[in-house]
Amino acid sequence: MSFIEERETMRDAPIGVFDSGVGGLTVAREIMRQIPKERIIYFGDTARVPYGNKSKETVTKFSRQIVRFLQGQHVKAIVVACNTASAYALDEIEKEIDIPIIGVVKPGAKVAAESTGNGKIGVIGTEGTIGSRIYDTYIKEINPDITVIGKACPLFVPLVEEGLWQDPVTDEIAARYLSGLIDSGIDTLILGCTHYPMIRSTVGKIMGEKVTLVNPAYETARELKELLRTENLLSEEKQGLGSNCYRFYVSDMADKFQTFANSILKYGILSAKKINIEEY
């Protein structure tokens, strides 16, 4: 096969997207919106969620297994649609594979650094993401004068997964989590977990109009599109919905995953296949 033929074949290959569970569907949704000609293979590690309270070594091990699975599906690029895995595993895995791979942290950090007016940025995320201080690192590489204030919000993930997106319980917990950030005077807030866009309206209402919310899922899809264009890997033909355009795999609870996915994805999904990720 010539280089040109190989490149054309690669253009038709799917994009691999993975997350610790269902949160990464917000990233997949943005990819569907912004790059509608692309095929997607999504893996949600629903048997081992959450990643936010696990060690770097464990998250890296899990991420390597998932990447091996996605490589077996012949993907042309991989999106780590999990802030914790992006923080803990991305740099190591990037050195080990020969296809493009991006995470959700850098795109969000870049836009936040560009958006702030007073140099005070807040980050909300899992305990793992906040504890890693990964957003601090990337933002200060761009502008060392920016102050970054992190706040772990561990209850947001189960609230989102229970579908309590607009509920008095979520409002109350969000108000408690975010009160300190309001007092800190930040003018930009990064939704540093892929679950959090589902409660964006609640967070925005509490933080107020003067605080800009940054959604890394949206920014990651933008960066992916530019990466594929640079690598000459953008798909040129729209795939029909009946042509295996979007495929979903999980490590457990396929029915529950399917129900959640159908509540947030425009086209919905017909099925989610359970696989034994420990084999990879």
Side-chain angles (χ1 to χ4, degrees):
M1 183 183 293
S2 70
F3 174 79
I4 294 176
E5 290 174 326
E6 182 178 355
R7 183 58 59 175
E8 289 177 349
T9 300
M10 285 292 287
R11 282 198 206 109
D12 294 334
I15 296 162
V17 180
F18 79 87
D19 180 49
S20 59
V22 300
L25 289 168
T26 60
V27 179
R29 180 175 63 180
E30 288 296 339
I31 296 171
M32 293 173 185
R33 286 174 175 169
Q34 297 186 40
I35 331 176
K37 293 181 180 180
E38 298 297 338
R39 296 163 57 210
I40 295 172
I41 293 178
Y42 182 97
F43 178 82
D45 199 1
T46 46
R48 304 185 293 195
V49 67
Y51 282 8
N53 58 6
K54 293 180 172 62
S55 69
K56 178 176 181 177
E57 292 72 24
T58 297
V59 172
T60 301
K61 172 191 170 185
F62 290 173
S63 299
R64 282 197 177 103
Q65 290 175 325
I66 297 165
V67 166
R68 284 194 284 269
F69 164 71
L70 291 172
Q71 286 180 300
Q73 302 298 309
H74 307 293
V75 298
K76 63 182 176 183
I78 293 175
V79 178
V80 185
C82 171
N83 282 266
T84 305
S86 294
Y88 284 166
L90 178 60
D91 287 346
E92 289 189 38
I93 291 175
E94 192 172 20
K95 300 170 187 173
E96 300 168 358
I97 64 175
D98 58 1
I99 59 175
I101 181 169
I102 65 171
V104 290
V105 174
K106 284 185 180 180
K110 179 174 180 289
V111 170
E114 293 169 350
S115 300
T116 183
N118 68 4
K120 293 182 178 180
I121 296 174
V123 183
I124 53 175
T126 65
E127 292 172 357
T129 298
I130 299 303
S132 73
R133 301 184 69 85
I134 190 71
Y135 276 101
D136 307 47
T137 300
Y138 287 142
I139 289 170
K140 287 185 177 296
E141 284 176 1
I142 299 168
N143 184 347
D145 294 329
I146 291 176
T147 299
V148 181
I149 302 163
K151 174 63 180 176
C153 304
L155 291 176
F156 280 172
V157 169
L159 288 170
V160 168
E161 296 201 357
E162 288 299 320
L164 300 175
W165 306 339
Q166 295 180 340
D167 188 275
V169 173
T170 304
D171 294 345
E172 173 65 22
I173 290 172
R176 292 190 185 191
Y177 278 151
L178 301 174
S179 61
L181 290 174
I182 295 172
D183 295 340
S184 70
I186 63 168
D187 70 350
T188 305
L189 178 63
I190 299 172
L191 305 178
C193 173
T194 49
H195 284 75
Y196 296 0
M198 303 309 299
I199 54 170
R200 179 181 181 136
S201 61
T202 298
V203 173
K205 181 172 59 179
I206 292 169
M207 295 305 300
E209 295 179 356
K210 293 182 180 180
V211 176
T212 299
L213 300 186
V214 175
N215 177 4
Y218 175 83
E219 305 303 339
T220 299
R222 286 182 60 195
E223 182 160 308
L224 173 64
K225 184 176 183 179
E226 188 56 38
L227 174 64
L228 295 176
R229 180 183 289 117
T230 301
E231 298 287 335
N232 197 24
L233 288 173
L234 274 174
S235 178
E236 296 178 341
E237 292 188 18
K238 171 65 178 169
Q239 307 292 324
L241 287 179
S243 60
N244 258 354
C245 191
Y246 306 130
R247 287 154 50 198
F248 299 86
Y249 297 87
V250 294
S251 50
D252 199 10
M253 300 181 294
D255 290 343
K256 185 175 181 180
F257 174 90
Q258 184 177 341
T259 299
F260 186 91
N262 282 327
S263 70
I264 69 169
L265 296 179
K266 178 180 178 182
Y267 299 114
I269 68 173
L270 298 177
S271 65
K273 184 177 180 181
K274 179 182 173 182
I275 63 166
N276 182 5
I277 195 63
E278 297 283 1
E279 294 179 350
Y280 291 87

